[in-house]
Amino acid sequence: MLNKSFPLDAKSISRLATRGLPLEILKSQIDESIDVFIEISKAQGINIIKRQGYFFFDTKYIKMKDAEFCIVDIETNGSKIDKHQIIELAAVKVKDGKITDRFDSLVFVKEINPIISELTGIKVEDTVDAPELKTVLMEFKLFLGDAVFVAHDVKFDYVFISASMQKVGLESLLNRPLCSLALAERTIVSYRYGLAYLNDMFALNPNPTHHRAMSDVLTTYGLFNLSLKNCNESLNNIEDLIKFSKKAPRLKRPKFDPLYIEESLKESTL
């Protein structure tokens, strides 16, 4: 999910995450010096290190207990980056299963579709005193650092934030992404994998307000911890976890909705 401006091809990126990339291949794909390329990559959220003559993402060597994850959620006033913008952004930093820091901000916006306001509860007047988009994204980028970017259906949040950064003149993201939905499909048996359904099923967040960024972040945090608890795979480092979330077989879903069955049984006894 690295952005198109990242100079390395997909095969080279894969090797950075697995068996390592030789110097000659790396040099053949970049215009600047190795040192400059590494510094630029670091500023955009990914550390590239050299081990035994090969280059790797440092996430290949970071143990799970030492890993820093940033669980993120955004609300937007539409789904198209060229027409719409982020109206709320929230995140928590997580290390060894515990929240270590929080980020939460509304974003100033001139227009919000009434359907979006009804869904999120956020109205234009709520954002009047909120910071401009560029300010929020600059502060978030500092908060995010080089942590692993985690979100439920991560592609939307990651791409929208990264493209928004480019839109306001900032560098796009290079952080390693991890999808909590994909991870849940491989660690938790559920009829559906939407956040609201999973929260109803597993009581991940005791006080949910769906479609508000921090509430959905906290639900995702509960889901992330449950997924890691249920994972029987031997995960030695971050890249093992990312690979597992993409490659491991999905668990078989129940044929019938257990929540619907439970509700029906309750109604039949009334």
Side-chain angles (χ1 to χ4, degrees):
M1 201 180 295
L2 294 179
N3 64 77
K4 292 179 181 179
S5 64
F6 194 66
L8 304 188
D9 59 33
K11 185 176 179 180
S12 296
I13 292 168
S14 176
R15 290 190 66 172
L16 283 170
T18 52
R19 67 182 188 272
L21 188 66
L23 174 63
E24 59 271 18
I25 295 179
L26 180 58
K27 288 178 69 174
S28 70
Q29 295 184 49
I30 61 175
D31 295 327
E32 58 276 300
S33 71
I34 298 293
D35 289 343
V36 170
F37 168 73
I38 288 175
E39 284 303 311
I40 291 173
S41 299
K42 184 176 182 179
Q44 291 181 254
I46 187 67
N47 293 320
I48 296 173
I49 60 175
K50 190 175 183 181
R51 291 285 178 93
Q52 297 178 334
Y54 289 82
F55 291 87
F56 297 87
F57 291 137
D58 71 340
T59 42
K60 171 72 176 174
Y61 291 95
I62 299 176
K63 303 295 184 183
M64 288 295 296
K65 65 181 180 61
D66 299 321
E68 188 170 49
F69 300 94
C70 187
I71 300 175
V72 184
D73 186 71
I74 57 173
E75 302 300 332
T76 68
N77 60 356
S79 61
K80 297 179 180 179
I81 185 62
D82 57 328
K83 295 181 180 179
H84 304 120
Q85 75 154 72
I86 297 165
I87 60 175
E88 187 176 39
L89 195 161
V92 295
K93 286 276 192 70
V94 176
K95 191 171 184 179
D96 199 19
K98 297 178 177 61
I99 293 175
T100 60
D101 204 356
R102 297 177 181 235
F103 179 95
D104 191 7
S105 182
L106 288 169
V107 184
F108 174 75
V109 66
K110 295 180 180 179
E111 183 180 352
I112 301 178
N113 187 300
I115 296 173
I116 299 293
S117 290
E118 185 176 345
L119 182 68
T120 63
I122 302 171
K123 299 177 181 178
V124 170
E125 50 265 35
D126 297 326
T127 75
V128 169
D129 296 322
E132 297 276 353
L133 178 62
K134 184 172 183 176
T135 299
V136 174
L137 290 176
M138 288 174 66
E139 291 176 353
F140 171 70
K141 195 172 180 69
L142 289 173
F143 177 86
L144 175 64
D146 60 1
V148 179
F149 185 110
V150 182
H152 205 65
D153 194 11
V154 70
K155 186 176 181 179
F156 176 78
D157 297 81
Y158 191 101
V159 170
F160 207 101
I161 291 175
S162 189
S164 295
M165 287 180 168
Q166 290 180 297
K167 198 173 179 180
V168 298
L170 301 175
E171 293 293 334
S172 53
L173 296 178
L174 292 181
N175 299 66
R176 297 295 280 153
L178 176 66
C179 183
S180 61
L181 191 157
L183 184 61
E185 289 178 322
R186 291 159 172 84
T187 55
I188 297 168
V189 175
S190 182
Y191 184 72
R192 293 203 297 267
Y193 287 90
L195 270 186
Y197 183 89
L198 289 167
N199 196 55
D200 289 342
M201 191 74 184
F202 300 105
L204 304 167
N205 180 358
N207 300 300
T209 306
H210 298 304
H211 298 296
R212 287 304 300 263
M214 182 52 77
S215 179
D216 285 350
V217 161
L218 293 176
T219 303
T220 304
Y221 164 67
L223 176 64
F224 182 61
N225 278 346
L226 181 60
S227 290
L228 293 182
K229 181 181 177 181
N230 286 2
C231 182
N232 296 319
E233 193 82 4
S234 177
L235 303 173
N236 295 316
N237 54 63
I238 296 173
E239 289 301 332
D240 283 350
L241 177 61
I242 293 172
K243 181 180 178 181
F244 174 82
S245 73
K246 296 178 179 180
K247 304 293 185 180
R250 291 179 175 86
L251 300 181
K252 189 175 181 180
R253 300 190 186 196
K255 289 185 178 180
F256 303 101
D257 184 349
L259 289 181
Y260 176 78
I261 294 170
E262 182 182 337
E263 192 63 33
S264 298
L265 289 172
K266 286 180 182 178
E267 290 178 0
S268 67
T269 58
L270 294 178

